[in-house]
């Protein structure tokens, strides 16, 4: 099981979220709770696609790590942080057609 950091930001009329450990995995939602639920689904789908393609799964590094390497994140007052714990998919060999 890995626990991925999720950054939730207030947008115009909704919320957006991303995981700094999983580039390209983003989502939105009408509430913080919906955004976090959507992010869980997005992470599962993203990691499943990586595993299906035989790609390495990104390491979950957590808030302390990201605060140490990302000064903008550390000083941003308008974000919420959450963690999403996931069972990682097993890497599969890429299918060659």
């Amino acid at each position: 099981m890995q626990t991925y950091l999720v950054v939730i930001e207030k947008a115009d009329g909704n919320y957006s979220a991303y995981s700094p450990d999983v580039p390209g995995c983003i989502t939105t939602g009408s509430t913080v709770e919906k955004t976090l639920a959507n992010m869980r689904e997005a992470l599962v789908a993203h990691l499943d696609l990586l595993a299906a393609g035989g790609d390495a799964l990104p390491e979950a590094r957590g808030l302390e790590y990201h605060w140490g390497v990302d000064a903008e994140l550390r000083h941003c007052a308008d974000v919420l942080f959450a963690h999403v714990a996931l069972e990682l998919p097993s890497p599969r060999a890429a299918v060659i057609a």
Side-chain angles (χ1 to χ4, degrees):
M1 182 171 294
Q2 291 282 330
T3 302
Y4 288 94
L5 175 64
V6 174
V7 180
I8 301 171
E9 302 172 321
K10 179 75 171 130
D12 292 333
N14 69 349
Y15 295 86
S16 63
Y18 69 94
S19 176
D21 292 321
V22 187
C25 187
I26 60 173
T27 193
T28 63
S30 57
T31 65
V32 170
E33 294 79 9
K34 181 65 175 168
T35 305
L36 190 55
N38 290 348
M39 191 64 201
R40 173 181 288 283
E41 291 177 17
L43 283 167
V44 168
H46 196 97
L47 296 173
D48 280 345
L49 283 172
L50 288 175
D55 295 320
L57 299 180
E59 178 183 352
R61 295 183 226 151
L63 181 59
E64 186 174 326
Y65 170 83
H66 289 286
W67 271 14
V69 299
D70 188 346
E72 281 186 38
L73 188 63
R74 186 174 57 243
H75 296 293
C76 189
D78 296 333
V79 299
L80 300 170
F81 299 104
H83 286 94
V84 174
L86 301 172
E87 289 292 334
L88 295 181
S90 299
R92 296 182 278 282
V95 176
I96 300 173

